[in-house]
Amino acid sequence: MKTKSSTQFLKYAFSLALLLLVSVSVMAQAKPAVKNIVLVHGAFADGSGFKVLYDILTKKGYNVTVVQNPLSSLEADVAATNDVLDRQDGPTILAGHSYGGSVITEAGNHKNVVALVYIAAFQPDQGESALDWAKKLPPAPENGILPPDAKGNIYYDKAKYHKGFCADLTKGEADFMYASQGAFNIKAIDGKITQAAWKTKPSYGIVATEDKSIVPDTERNMYKRSNTKITEIKASHVVFISHPQEVADIIIKASQEVKK
């Protein structure tokens, strides 16, 4: 015959076991389905722009690596990205900004990549380049991309950089980004895709609706063609800096939805 004290003990033990089960379940749901994130920058910038996005993602338990593209050719940038992907210990979300979209379109064929995130980025198909898409629609008046110099390098007009590239950042932030931009060679933006990874891997695309460097309709047209899951954010071309949490949310969503 059970005593009152033993009955209370059993109720306590059952409640404790239930609490532990709930806690384990919550922890399992919070744990990223894919924990590796690789970020690829575009032209007229470098990897330092991903600092806040990096902080948000790492605090949530992600392993984040930032690629530093040489920007000398598409092949060189894909090679740099593949070197980083080789070092990942498993399934990886590959995200690229601007011209970096071309890089992830090619490098996304790597065996570790399970999903792609295009951040106000180009998304060419096989035989196409970012330059092909850049010429499809008239540029915004604020756009300050200059013609190639004698070495084939392309820079952004300093007088237009703030309004044309990162209008929703402070002038100080814009000045630093301009000063830290790398030489961007025509061989990079005109590099042709040989195999488009978005054809075989789930893709997410962010349209920056106030973008003056890539026409927003160009972003929409590329993403719609590929059946990419589209999110629109009212931001300049550097949406990942001015709206880092919203961009992080898309990357996190990709990591949770993808099948490893």
Side-chain angles (χ1 to χ4, degrees):
M1 182 175 180
K2 294 181 180 178
T3 64
K4 183 176 180 181
S5 59
S6 64
T7 300
Q8 289 176 334
F9 175 77
L10 288 172
K11 287 182 177 178
Y12 172 77
F14 177 78
S15 298
L16 182 60
L18 184 61
L19 180 62
L20 287 172
L21 285 172
V22 170
S23 298
V24 170
S25 176
V26 170
M27 289 176 66
Q29 291 175 10
K31 185 178 180 181
V34 176
K35 67 180 180 66
N36 296 318
I37 310 292
V38 171
L39 304 175
V40 181
H41 69 82
F44 318 118
D46 70 357
S48 64
F50 286 124
K51 180 62 169 65
V52 177
L53 185 59
Y54 168 91
D55 289 342
I56 293 172
L57 292 169
T58 53
K59 286 176 183 177
K60 290 186 175 293
Y62 289 93
N63 171 48
V64 182
T65 309
V66 178
V67 178
Q68 289 288 6
N69 287 326
L71 300 177
S72 54
S73 70
L74 178 61
E75 292 78 11
D77 295 333
V78 170
T81 302
N82 280 331
D83 284 344
V84 172
L85 291 170
D86 286 341
R87 301 201 307 271
Q88 305 306 301
D89 61 4
T92 302
I93 304 297
L94 183 60
H97 171 247
S98 190
Y99 155 74
S102 287
V103 180
I104 71 169
T105 295
E106 192 72 50
N109 294 295
H110 192 285
K111 62 181 178 61
N112 283 339
V113 177
V114 292
L116 306 165
V117 179
Y118 291 83
I119 307 170
F122 289 108
Q123 191 190 54
D125 197 353
Q126 181 175 336
E128 297 177 346
S129 69
L131 183 60
D132 293 335
W133 276 94
K135 296 189 295 186
K136 283 185 180 293
L137 294 174
E142 298 89 345
N143 188 304
I145 298 175
L146 298 170
D149 63 15
K151 296 180 180 179
N153 291 327
I154 305 169
Y155 294 94
Y156 213 99
D157 184 348
K158 187 174 183 178
K160 289 189 170 185
Y161 191 88
H162 192 188
K163 289 186 178 180
F165 197 74
C166 50
D168 47 5
L169 301 186
T170 67
K171 183 180 183 301
E173 290 171 321
D175 288 346
F176 173 78
M177 289 190 71
Y178 178 83
S180 61
Q181 68 176 299
F184 181 47
N185 197 274
I186 186 68
K187 290 185 290 185
I189 193 172
D190 200 27
K192 306 292 185 183
I193 299 298
T194 62
Q195 183 179 353
W198 52 259
K199 289 189 173 182
T200 58
K201 299 185 180 182
S203 300
Y204 299 75
I206 296 171
V207 174
T209 63
E210 308 304 305
D211 200 331
K212 305 303 181 185
S213 290
I214 301 178
V215 178
D217 276 344
T218 296
E219 296 168 15
R220 294 184 183 103
N221 293 340
M222 289 183 290
Y223 300 161
K224 287 177 182 177
R225 175 183 68 169
S226 61
N227 293 318
T228 290
K229 295 181 181 179
I230 301 173
T231 300
E232 299 208 357
I233 300 175
K234 187 176 181 179
S236 75
H237 188 54
V238 294
V239 57
F240 64 98
I241 300 178
S242 60
H243 293 72
Q245 185 60 61
E246 291 172 73
V247 173
D249 288 343
I250 302 303
I251 294 174
I252 291 168
K253 182 180 180 182
S255 77
Q256 293 171 340
E257 291 182 347
V258 72
K259 294 180 181 179
K260 293 187 285 183

